[in-house]
Amino acid sequence: ALALTFAEIKMDERVLEIVIPEQSSERRFSRWDTSLYIGNIPRNADEDSLKQLFSGFGVIIEIEIKEGNRGKKFAYITFAQTVYANYLFQCSRTKSYSYKGYKLVINRVTNNYF
């Protein structure tokens, strides 16, 4: 069984509580535990600008920008630790994020991608 720890993160005078499974030698976190899908990004977005936008949530180790159907762009952001990805994901549930006038879509990545 996994032990759970709690992290408190202050955000605009509110406290956001995130339950984080403790890492153990029995369970290894996969890449999708630390990655998020960012959809509806502008066509002129680049890795540096996205890194600057999201680096306040934690250490980013990789950003992949892709082009989907009809020229729409999206990205996969991989953080150094699961807690950073969880933090951004939880924040995106209570606050919407925009970039250059585009409302961003932030979701978890499934193992179908990696």
Side-chain angles (χ1 to χ4, degrees):
L2 289 174
L4 298 177
T5 58
F6 294 90
E8 280 191 4
I9 301 168
K10 290 197 180 220
M11 188 177 104
D12 300 329
E13 301 302 319
R14 294 175 287 162
V15 175
L16 177 67
E17 184 177 86
I18 301 173
V19 178
I20 306 163
E22 285 186 0
Q23 292 187 21
S24 71
S25 58
E26 295 174 13
R27 183 183 190 295
R28 292 182 182 258
F29 284 95
S30 58
R31 186 170 175 189
W32 58 85
D33 288 327
T34 59
S35 297
L36 294 173
Y37 164 87
I38 312 295
N40 199 39
I41 61 175
R43 290 180 187 209
N44 63 348
D46 60 13
E47 291 180 17
D48 290 336
S49 61
L50 290 177
K51 190 170 189 171
Q52 183 178 359
L53 182 65
F54 292 112
S55 63
F57 292 94
V59 177
I60 296 172
I61 59 172
E62 183 179 26
I63 296 176
E64 289 182 67
I65 296 177
K66 306 274 187 176
E67 191 168 317
N69 297 336
R70 296 170 290 198
K72 291 189 175 186
K73 280 190 158 185
F74 60 94
Y76 294 102
I77 296 181
T78 303
F79 288 93
Q81 295 181 11
T82 304
V83 68
Y84 303 142
N86 286 342
Y87 177 37
L88 174 54
F89 181 75
Q90 292 297 326
C91 289
S92 73
R93 294 298 157 256
T94 59
K95 178 184 176 188
S96 64
Y97 291 90
S98 294
Y99 178 64
K100 295 185 178 181
Y102 288 73
K103 185 178 177 188
L104 301 177
V105 176
I106 302 172
N107 284 312
R108 295 193 186 276
V109 175
T110 65
N111 62 356
N112 296 335
Y113 173 69
F114 297 110

